[in-house]
């Protein structure tokens, strides 16, 4: 069985789209929006070189909420995989949950429902584990929110949070004491995470 690194998309691999004039923040919804976060390319290269299969699991509820068309989400996801590919990084699988329990004005009613794939549900992670033949005990979810942590726990994966210095909103999550649902590892960037995680001595057989 393979070791896997399942990555959240927004806030972990790519930055949010910020409009300082409007004060708005939204997930990237066009290929031109894609800005890889610092450390992502070097970090993913290091994990791939160490034998990890790389995958993406992303909640994208904005079509259900009537904010972004499904085709824009799909095109942006494809563009992200292609962008990483141009950096020599292969993504073995991608799962995207389009559902949202409440939806929003103008949202696609077919997408408004609960879904076990939507993080913190484990569905997307379990599908990737099955499809890619991953060993859950040797695989990690890397994310930036409580939902990512919950999904990792529910799927039986280890969890690392990448917490940029400016994201003070998630400091309490990252600094939780062990036993109170703390993540297994916290780093400020993906290359730093690779340095820490890949330096760990291998677990005894
Ligand atoms: Mg995120
Ligand atoms: Zn879903």
């Amino acid at each position: 069985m393979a070791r896997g690194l399942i990555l959240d998309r927004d806030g972990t691999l790519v930055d949010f789209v910020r409009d300082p004039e409007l004060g708005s923040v939204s997930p990237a919804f066009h290929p031109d929006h894609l800005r890889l976060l610092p450390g992502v390319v070097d970090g993913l290269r290091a994990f791939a070189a160490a034998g990890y299969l790389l995958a993406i699991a992303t909640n994208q509820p904005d079509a259900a909420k009537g904010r972004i068309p499904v085709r824009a989400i799909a095109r942006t996801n494809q563009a992200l995989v292609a962008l990483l590919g141009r950096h020599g990084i292969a993504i073995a699988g991608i799962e995207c949950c389009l559902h949202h329990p409440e939806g929003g004005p103008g949202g696609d009613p077919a997408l408004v429902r609960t879904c076990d794939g939507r993080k913190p549900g484990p569905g997307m992670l379990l599908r990737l584990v099955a499809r890619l033949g991953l060993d859950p005990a040797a695989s990690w979810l890397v994310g930036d929110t409580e939902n990512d942590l919950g999904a990792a726990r529910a799927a039986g994966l280890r969890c690392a949070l990448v917490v940029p210095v400016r994201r003070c909103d998630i400091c309490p999550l990252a600094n939780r004491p062990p036993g109170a649902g703390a993540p297994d590892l916290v780093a400020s960037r993906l290359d730093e995470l690779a340095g820490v995680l890949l330096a760990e001595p291998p677990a005894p057989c």
Side-chain angles (χ1 to χ4, degrees), residues 81-166:
V81 171
L83 173 62
L84 291 170
R86 289 196 294 279
H87 286 285
I89 296 160
I91 298 298
I94 180 164
E95 286 278 331
C96 175
C97 176
L98 295 170
H99 302 109
H100 190 268
E102 281 118 44
D108 180 344
L111 299 176
V112 181
R113 63 172 174 86
T114 58
C115 176
D116 86 323
R118 180 175 163 75
K119 295 177 286 185
M124 290 194 287
L125 311 189
L126 295 176
R127 284 195 285 279
L128 287 167
V129 163
R131 196 159 81 231
L132 303 179
L134 303 182
D135 174 3
S139 296
W140 290 75
L141 179 74
V142 182
D144 69 323
T145 66
E146 178 93 50
N147 276 351
D148 295 315
L149 184 53
R153 292 288 175 258
L157 304 186
R158 293 198 277 175
C159 181
L161 292 182
V162 175
V163 183
V165 173
R166 67 171 186 280

Coordinates of all heavy atoms in Angstrom, one line a residue, residues 81-166:
V81 N -4.4 21.4 -11.3 CA -3.6 20.2 -11.6 C -2.6 20.4 -12.7 O -1.4 19.9 -12.6 CB -4.6 19.0 -11.9 CG1 -3.8 17.8 -12.4 CG2 -5.5 18.7 -10.7
A82 N -3.0 21.1 -13.7 CA -2.1 21.4 -14.9 C -0.9 22.3 -14.4 O 0.2 22.1 -14.8 CB -2.9 22.1 -16.0
L83 N -1.2 23.3 -13.6 CA -0.2 24.2 -13.1 C 0.8 23.4 -12.3 O 2.1 23.6 -12.4 CB -0.9 25.3 -12.2 CG 0.0 26.3 -11.5 CD1 0.9 27.1 -12.4 CD2 -0.8 27.2 -10.6
L84 N 0.4 22.6 -11.4 CA 1.3 21.8 -10.6 C 2.1 20.9 -11.5 O 3.3 20.7 -11.3 CB 0.5 21.0 -9.5 CG -0.1 21.8 -8.4 CD1 -1.0 21.0 -7.5 CD2 1.0 22.4 -7.5
G85 N 1.5 20.3 -12.5 CA 2.1 19.5 -13.5 C 3.3 20.2 -14.2 O 4.4 19.6 -14.4
R86 N 3.1 21.5 -14.5 CA 4.1 22.3 -15.1 C 5.3 22.5 -14.2 O 6.4 22.8 -14.6 CB 3.6 23.6 -15.6 CG 2.7 23.5 -16.8 CD 2.5 24.8 -17.5 NE 1.7 25.8 -16.7 CZ 0.4 25.8 -16.6 NH1 -0.4 24.9 -17.2 NH2 -0.2 26.8 -15.9
H87 N 5.1 22.3 -12.9 CA 6.2 22.4 -11.9 C 6.7 21.0 -11.6 O 7.5 20.8 -10.7 CB 5.6 23.0 -10.6 CG 5.4 24.5 -10.6 ND1 6.5 25.4 -10.6 CD2 4.3 25.2 -10.7 CE1 6.0 26.6 -10.6 NE2 4.7 26.5 -10.7
G88 N 6.3 20.0 -12.4 CA 6.8 18.6 -12.2 C 6.1 17.8 -11.1 O 6.7 16.8 -10.7
I89 N 5.0 18.3 -10.7 CA 4.3 17.7 -9.6 C 3.0 17.0 -10.1 O 2.1 17.6 -10.7 CB 3.9 18.7 -8.5 CG1 5.2 19.3 -7.9 CG2 3.0 18.1 -7.4 CD1 4.9 20.7 -7.2
A90 N 3.0 15.6 -9.9 CA 1.8 14.9 -10.4 C 0.8 14.7 -9.3 O 1.1 14.3 -8.2 CB 2.3 13.5 -10.9
I91 N -0.5 15.0 -9.7 CA -1.6 14.8 -8.7 C -2.3 13.5 -9.1 O -2.8 13.4 -10.2 CB -2.5 16.0 -8.8 CG1 -1.8 17.3 -8.3 CG2 -3.8 15.7 -7.9 CD1 -1.3 17.2 -6.9
A92 N -2.3 12.5 -8.2 CA -2.8 11.2 -8.6 C -4.3 11.1 -8.5 O -4.9 10.2 -9.1 CB -2.2 10.2 -7.6
G93 N -5.0 12.0 -7.8 CA -6.4 12.0 -7.7 C -6.9 13.3 -7.2 O -6.3 14.0 -6.4
I94 N -8.1 13.7 -7.6 CA -8.8 14.9 -7.0 C -10.2 14.5 -6.7 O -10.9 13.9 -7.5 CB -8.6 16.1 -7.9 CG1 -9.3 17.3 -7.3 CG2 -9.1 15.9 -9.3 CD1 -8.8 18.7 -8.0
E95 N -10.7 14.9 -5.6 CA -12.1 14.8 -5.2 C -12.6 16.2 -4.8 O -11.9 17.0 -4.1 CB -12.3 13.9 -3.9 CG -12.1 12.4 -4.2 CD -13.3 11.8 -4.8 OE1 -14.5 12.3 -4.5 OE2 -13.2 10.8 -5.6
C96 N -13.8 16.5 -5.3 CA -14.4 17.9 -5.1 C -15.8 17.7 -4.7 O -16.6 17.1 -5.4 CB -14.3 18.7 -6.4 SG -15.0 20.3 -6.3
C97 N -16.2 18.1 -3.5 CA -17.6 18.1 -3.0 C -18.2 19.4 -3.3 O -17.8 20.5 -2.9 CB -17.7 17.8 -1.6 SG -19.4 17.8 -1.0
L98 N -19.3 19.4 -4.2 CA -20.0 20.6 -4.6 C -21.2 20.9 -3.7 O -21.9 21.8 -3.9 CB -20.5 20.4 -6.0 CG -19.4 20.3 -7.1 CD1 -20.0 19.9 -8.4 CD2 -18.6 21.6 -7.2
H99 N -21.4 20.0 -2.7 CA -22.7 20.1 -2.0 C -22.6 21.1 -0.8 O -21.5 21.4 -0.3 CB -23.1 18.7 -1.4 CG -23.2 17.7 -2.6 ND1 -22.3 16.7 -2.8 CD2 -24.1 17.7 -3.6 CE1 -22.7 16.0 -3.9 NE2 -23.8 16.6 -4.4
H100 N -23.8 21.6 -0.4 CA -23.9 22.4 0.8 C -25.3 22.1 1.4 O -26.3 22.1 0.7 CB -23.7 23.9 0.5 CG -23.6 24.7 1.7 ND1 -24.6 25.3 2.4 CD2 -22.5 25.0 2.5 CE1 -24.2 25.9 3.4 NE2 -22.9 25.8 3.5
P101 N -25.3 22.0 2.7 CA -26.6 21.6 3.3 C -27.7 22.7 3.2 O -28.9 22.4 3.1 CB -26.3 21.4 4.8 CG -24.9 21.9 5.0 CD -24.2 21.9 3.7
E102 N -27.3 24.0 3.1 CA -28.3 25.0 3.1 C -28.4 25.7 1.7 O -29.4 26.4 1.4 CB -28.0 26.1 4.1 CG -28.5 25.7 5.5 CD -27.3 25.6 6.5 OE1 -26.4 26.5 6.4 OE2 -27.2 24.6 7.2
G103 N -27.4 25.7 0.9 CA -27.4 26.4 -0.4 C -27.4 27.9 -0.2 O -27.0 28.4 0.8
G104 N -28.0 28.6 -1.2 CA -28.1 30.1 -1.1 C -28.9 30.5 -2.3 O -29.3 29.7 -3.2
P105 N -29.1 31.8 -2.4 CA -30.0 32.4 -3.5 C -29.4 32.1 -4.8 O -28.3 32.4 -5.1 CB -30.0 33.9 -3.2 CG -29.4 34.1 -1.9 CD -28.6 32.9 -1.5
G106 N -30.2 31.5 -5.7 CA -29.8 31.1 -7.0 C -28.9 29.9 -7.1 O -28.4 29.6 -8.2
G107 N -28.7 29.2 -6.0 CA -27.9 28.0 -6.0 C -28.6 26.9 -6.8 O -29.8 26.9 -6.9
D108 N -27.8 25.9 -7.3 CA -28.4 24.8 -8.0 C -29.0 23.8 -6.9 O -28.3 23.3 -6.1 CB -27.2 24.1 -8.7 CG -27.7 22.8 -9.5 OD1 -28.8 22.3 -9.2 OD2 -26.9 22.3 -10.3
P109 N -30.3 23.7 -7.0 CA -31.0 22.8 -6.0 C -30.5 21.4 -5.9 O -30.5 20.8 -4.9 CB -32.5 22.9 -6.4 CG -32.6 23.7 -7.6 CD -31.3 24.2 -8.0
A110 N -30.0 20.9 -7.0 CA -29.5 19.5 -7.0 C -28.2 19.4 -6.1 O -27.9 18.3 -5.7 CB -29.1 19.1 -8.5
L111 N -27.6 20.5 -5.8 CA -26.4 20.5 -5.0 C -26.6 20.8 -3.6 O -25.7 20.7 -2.7 CB -25.3 21.5 -5.6 CG -24.9 21.2 -7.0 CD1 -23.9 22.3 -7.5 CD2 -24.2 19.9 -7.1
V112 N -27.9 21.1 -3.2 CA -28.2 21.5 -1.8 C -28.6 20.3 -1.1 O -29.8 19.8 -1.2 CB -29.3 22.6 -1.8 CG1 -29.6 23.0 -0.4 CG2 -28.8 23.8 -2.6
R113 N -27.7 19.7 -0.4 CA -28.0 18.5 0.5 C -26.8 18.2 1.3 O -25.7 18.7 1.1 CB -28.3 17.3 -0.4 CG -27.2 16.8 -1.3 CD -27.7 15.4 -1.9 NE -26.7 14.9 -2.9 CZ -25.7 14.2 -2.6 NH1 -25.3 13.9 -1.3 NH2 -24.9 13.7 -3.5
T114 N -27.1 17.5 2.4 CA -25.9 17.0 3.2 C -25.2 16.0 2.3 O -25.7 15.3 1.5 CB -26.3 16.3 4.5 OG1 -27.2 15.3 4.2 CG2 -27.1 17.3 5.4
C115 N -23.9 15.8 2.6 CA -23.0 14.9 1.8 C -21.9 14.4 2.7 O -21.3 15.3 3.4 CB -22.5 15.6 0.6 SG -21.3 14.6 -0.4
D116 N -21.7 13.1 2.8 CA -20.6 12.6 3.6 C -19.2 12.9 3.0 O -18.2 12.8 3.7 CB -20.8 11.1 3.9 CG -20.1 10.3 2.8 OD1 -20.2 10.7 1.6 OD2 -19.6 9.3 3.1
G117 N -19.2 13.4 1.8 CA -18.0 13.8 1.2 C -17.5 15.2 1.7 O -16.3 15.5 1.8
R118 N -18.5 16.0 2.0 CA -18.1 17.4 2.4 C -17.4 17.3 3.8 O -17.9 16.8 4.8 CB -19.4 18.2 2.6 CG -19.2 19.6 3.0 CD -20.5 20.5 3.1 NE -20.3 21.6 3.9 CZ -19.6 22.7 3.5 NH1 -19.0 22.8 2.3 NH2 -19.4 23.8 4.3
K119 N -16.1 17.8 3.8 CA -15.3 17.8 5.0 C -16.1 18.7 6.0 O -16.6 19.7 5.7 CB -13.9 18.4 4.8 CG -13.1 17.5 3.8 CD -11.7 18.1 3.5 CE -11.8 19.3 2.6 NZ -10.5 19.8 2.2
P120 N -16.3 18.3 7.3 CA -15.5 17.3 8.0 C -15.9 15.8 7.8 O -15.5 14.9 8.5 CB -15.7 17.7 9.5 CG -17.1 18.3 9.5 CD -17.2 19.0 8.2
G121 N -16.8 15.5 6.9 CA -17.1 14.1 6.6 C -15.9 13.5 5.9 O -15.1 14.1 5.3
P122 N -15.9 12.1 6.0 CA -14.7 11.4 5.5 C -14.8 11.0 4.1 O -13.8 10.4 3.6 CB -14.6 10.2 6.5 CG -16.1 9.9 6.7 CD -16.8 11.3 6.8
G123 N -15.9 11.2 3.4 CA -16.2 10.5 2.1 C -15.1 10.7 1.1 O -14.7 9.8 0.4
M124 N -14.7 12.0 0.8 CA -13.7 12.2 -0.2 C -12.4 11.5 0.1 O -11.8 10.9 -0.8 CB -13.5 13.7 -0.4 CG -14.6 14.4 -1.0 SD -14.2 16.1 -1.6 CE -14.0 17.0 -0.1
L125 N -12.0 11.5 1.4 CA -10.8 11.0 1.8 C -10.8 9.4 1.6 O -9.9 8.8 1.1 CB -10.4 11.3 3.2 CG -10.5 12.8 3.6 CD1 -9.9 13.1 4.9 CD2 -9.8 13.7 2.5
L126 N -11.9 8.8 2.0 CA -12.0 7.4 1.9 C -12.0 6.9 0.5 O -11.5 5.9 0.1 CB -13.3 6.9 2.6 CG -13.3 7.1 4.2 CD1 -14.6 6.7 4.8 CD2 -12.1 6.4 4.8
R127 N -12.7 7.7 -0.4 CA -12.7 7.4 -1.8 C -11.2 7.4 -2.4 O -10.8 6.6 -3.2 CB -13.6 8.3 -2.6 CG -15.1 7.9 -2.4 CD -16.0 8.6 -3.5 NE -16.2 10.0 -3.2 CZ -17.0 10.6 -2.4 NH1 -17.8 9.8 -1.7 NH2 -17.1 11.9 -2.2
L128 N -10.5 8.5 -2.0 CA -9.1 8.5 -2.5 C -8.2 7.4 -1.9 O -7.4 6.8 -2.7 CB -8.5 9.9 -2.1 CG -9.0 11.1 -2.9 CD1 -8.6 12.4 -2.3 CD2 -8.5 11.0 -4.4
V129 N -8.5 7.1 -0.7 CA -7.7 6.0 -0.1 C -8.0 4.7 -0.8 O -7.0 3.9 -1.2 CB -8.1 5.8 1.4 CG1 -7.7 4.5 2.0 CG2 -7.5 6.9 2.3
A130 N -9.3 4.4 -1.2 CA -9.6 3.2 -1.9 C -9.1 3.2 -3.3 O -8.5 2.3 -3.8 CB -11.1 3.0 -1.9
R131 N -9.3 4.4 -4.0 CA -8.9 4.4 -5.4 C -7.4 4.4 -5.6 O -6.9 3.8 -6.6 CB -9.5 5.7 -6.0 CG -9.5 5.7 -7.5 CD -10.5 6.8 -8.0 NE -10.0 8.1 -8.0 CZ -10.6 9.2 -7.5 NH1 -11.7 9.0 -6.9 NH2 -10.0 10.3 -7.6
L132 N -6.7 5.0 -4.7 CA -5.2 5.1 -4.9 C -4.5 4.0 -4.2 O -3.3 3.9 -4.2 CB -4.7 6.5 -4.5 CG -5.4 7.7 -5.2 CD1 -4.8 9.0 -4.7 CD2 -5.2 7.6 -6.7
G133 N -5.2 3.2 -3.4 CA -4.6 2.1 -2.6 C -3.7 2.6 -1.5 O -2.6 2.1 -1.3
L134 N -4.2 3.6 -0.8 CA -3.4 4.2 0.2 C -3.5 3.5 1.5 O -4.5 2.9 1.9 CB -3.8 5.7 0.5 CG -3.8 6.6 -0.7 CD1 -4.2 8.0 -0.3 CD2 -2.4 6.6 -1.4
D135 N -2.4 3.5 2.3 CA -2.4 3.0 3.7 C -2.8 4.1 4.6 O -2.1 5.1 4.8 CB -1.0 2.5 4.0 CG -0.9 2.1 5.5 OD1 -1.9 2.1 6.2 OD2 0.2 1.7 5.9
P136 N -4.0 4.1 5.2 CA -4.5 5.2 6.0 C -3.6 5.6 7.1 O -3.4 6.7 7.4 CB -5.9 4.8 6.5 CG -6.3 3.6 5.6 CD -5.0 3.0 5.1
A137 N -3.0 4.6 7.7 CA -2.2 4.8 8.9 C -0.9 5.5 8.5 O -0.2 6.2 9.4 CB -1.8 3.5 9.6
A138 N -0.5 5.4 7.3 CA 0.8 6.1 6.8 C 0.5 7.3 5.9 O 1.4 7.8 5.3 CB 1.6 5.1 6.0
S139 N -0.8 7.7 5.9 CA -1.2 8.8 5.0 C -1.6 10.0 5.8 O -2.1 9.9 6.9 CB -2.3 8.3 4.1 OG -1.8 7.3 3.2
W140 N -1.6 11.1 5.2 CA -1.8 12.4 5.9 C -2.8 13.2 5.1 O -2.8 13.2 3.9 CB -0.6 13.2 6.0 CG 0.5 12.7 6.9 CD1 1.3 11.6 6.7 CD2 0.7 13.2 8.2 NE1 2.1 11.5 7.8 CE2 1.8 12.4 8.8 CE3 0.2 14.3 9.0 CZ2 2.3 12.6 10.0 CZ3 0.8 14.5 10.2 CH2 1.8 13.7 10.8
L141 N -3.7 13.9 5.8 CA -4.4 15.0 5.2 C -3.7 16.3 5.7 O -3.4 16.5 6.8 CB -5.9 15.1 5.7 CG -6.7 16.2 5.1 CD1 -7.0 16.0 3.7 CD2 -7.9 16.5 5.9
V142 N -3.5 17.2 4.7 CA -2.9 18.5 5.0 C -3.9 19.6 4.7 O -4.4 19.6 3.5 CB -1.6 18.7 4.1 CG1 -1.0 20.0 4.5 CG2 -0.6 17.6 4.3
G143 N -4.3 20.3 5.7 CA -5.3 21.4 5.5 C -5.0 22.6 6.3 O -3.9 22.7 6.9
D144 N -6.0 23.4 6.4 CA -5.9 24.7 7.2 C -7.1 25.0 8.1 O -7.1 26.1 8.6 CB -5.6 25.8 6.2 CG -6.8 26.2 5.4 OD1 -7.5 25.3 5.0 OD2 -7.0 27.4 5.1
T145 N -8.0 24.1 8.2 CA -9.2 24.4 9.0 C -9.7 23.2 9.9 O -9.2 22.1 9.7 CB -10.4 24.7 8.1 OG1 -10.8 23.6 7.4 CG2 -10.1 25.9 7.1
E146 N -10.6 23.6 10.8 CA -11.2 22.6 11.6 C -11.9 21.5 10.8 O -11.9 20.3 11.2 CB -12.3 23.3 12.5 CG -13.1 22.4 13.4 CD -12.4 22.3 14.8 OE1 -12.1 23.4 15.4 OE2 -12.2 21.2 15.3
N147 N -12.5 21.8 9.7 CA -13.1 20.8 8.8 C -12.1 19.8 8.3 O -12.4 18.6 8.2 CB -13.8 21.5 7.6 CG -15.2 22.0 7.9 OD1 -15.7 21.7 9.0 ND2 -15.8 22.8 7.0
D148 N -10.9 20.3 8.0 CA -9.9 19.3 7.5 C -9.5 18.4 8.6 O -9.4 17.2 8.4 CB -8.7 20.1 7.0 CG -9.0 21.0 5.8 OD1 -9.6 20.5 4.9 OD2 -8.5 22.2 5.8
L149 N -9.3 18.9 9.8 CA -8.9 18.1 10.9 C -10.0 17.1 11.2 O -9.7 15.9 11.4 CB -8.7 19.0 12.1 CG -8.2 18.4 13.5 CD1 -7.0 17.6 13.3 CD2 -8.0 19.6 14.5
G150 N -11.3 17.5 11.2 CA -12.4 16.6 11.4 C -12.4 15.4 10.4 O -12.7 14.3 10.7
A151 N -12.2 15.8 9.1 CA -12.3 14.8 8.1 C -11.2 13.8 8.2 O -11.4 12.6 8.0 CB -12.2 15.5 6.7
A152 N -10.0 14.3 8.6 CA -8.8 13.4 8.7 C -9.1 12.4 9.9 O -8.9 11.2 9.7 CB -7.6 14.2 9.1
R153 N -9.6 12.9 11.0 CA -9.9 12.0 12.1 C -11.0 11.0 11.7 O -10.9 9.8 12.0 CB -10.5 12.8 13.3 CG -9.4 13.7 13.9 CD -8.4 12.9 14.7 NE -7.3 13.8 15.2 CZ -6.1 13.9 14.6 NH1 -5.8 13.2 13.6 NH2 -5.2 14.7 15.2
A154 N -12.0 11.5 11.0 CA -13.1 10.6 10.6 C -12.7 9.5 9.6 O -13.2 8.4 9.6 CB -14.3 11.4 10.0
A155 N -11.7 9.8 8.8 CA -11.2 8.8 7.8 C -10.0 8.0 8.4 O -9.5 7.1 7.7 CB -10.8 9.6 6.6
G156 N -9.5 8.3 9.6 CA -8.4 7.5 10.1 C -7.1 7.9 9.6 O -6.1 7.1 9.6
L157 N -7.0 9.1 9.1 CA -5.7 9.6 8.6 C -5.0 10.5 9.6 O -5.7 11.1 10.5 CB -5.8 10.5 7.3 CG -6.6 9.9 6.1 CD1 -6.5 10.8 4.9 CD2 -6.0 8.5 5.7
R158 N -3.7 10.7 9.5 CA -3.1 11.7 10.3 C -3.3 13.1 9.7 O -3.6 13.1 8.5 CB -1.6 11.4 10.4 CG -1.4 10.1 11.3 CD 0.0 9.9 11.8 NE 0.9 9.3 10.8 CZ 2.2 9.2 10.9 NH1 2.8 9.6 12.0 NH2 2.9 8.7 9.9
C159 N -3.2 14.1 10.5 CA -3.5 15.4 10.0 C -2.4 16.4 10.3 O -1.9 16.5 11.5 CB -4.8 15.9 10.7 SG -5.3 17.5 10.1
A160 N -2.1 17.1 9.3 CA -1.1 18.3 9.5 C -1.9 19.5 9.1 O -2.6 19.6 8.1 CB 0.1 18.1 8.6
L161 N -1.7 20.6 9.8 CA -2.2 21.9 9.4 C -1.1 22.8 9.0 O 0.0 22.8 9.6 CB -3.0 22.5 10.6 CG -4.3 21.8 11.0 CD1 -4.9 22.6 12.2 CD2 -5.2 21.7 9.9
V162 N -1.3 23.5 7.9 CA -0.4 24.5 7.5 C -1.0 25.9 7.8 O -2.1 26.2 7.3 CB -0.1 24.4 5.9 CG1 0.8 25.5 5.5 CG2 0.5 23.0 5.7
V163 N -0.4 26.6 8.7 CA -1.0 27.8 9.3 C -0.1 29.0 9.0 O 0.9 29.2 9.6 CB -1.1 27.6 10.8 CG1 -1.7 28.8 11.4 CG2 -1.8 26.3 11.2
P164 N -0.5 29.7 7.9 CA 0.3 30.9 7.6 C 0.3 31.9 8.8 O -0.7 31.9 9.6 CB -0.4 31.5 6.4 CG -1.2 30.4 5.9 CD -1.6 29.5 7.0
V165 N 1.4 32.6 9.0 CA 1.5 33.5 10.1 C 0.3 34.4 10.3 O -0.2 34.7 11.3 CB 2.8 34.3 10.1 CG1 2.9 35.3 11.2 CG2 4.0 33.3 10.2
R166 N -0.2 34.9 9.1 CA -1.3 35.9 9.1 C -2.6 35.3 9.5 O -3.6 36.1 9.8 CB -1.4 36.6 7.8 CG -1.9 35.7 6.7 CD -2.2 36.5 5.4 NE -2.9 35.7 4.4 CZ -2.2 34.9 3.6 NH1 -0.9 34.8 3.7 NH2 -2.8 34.1 2.8

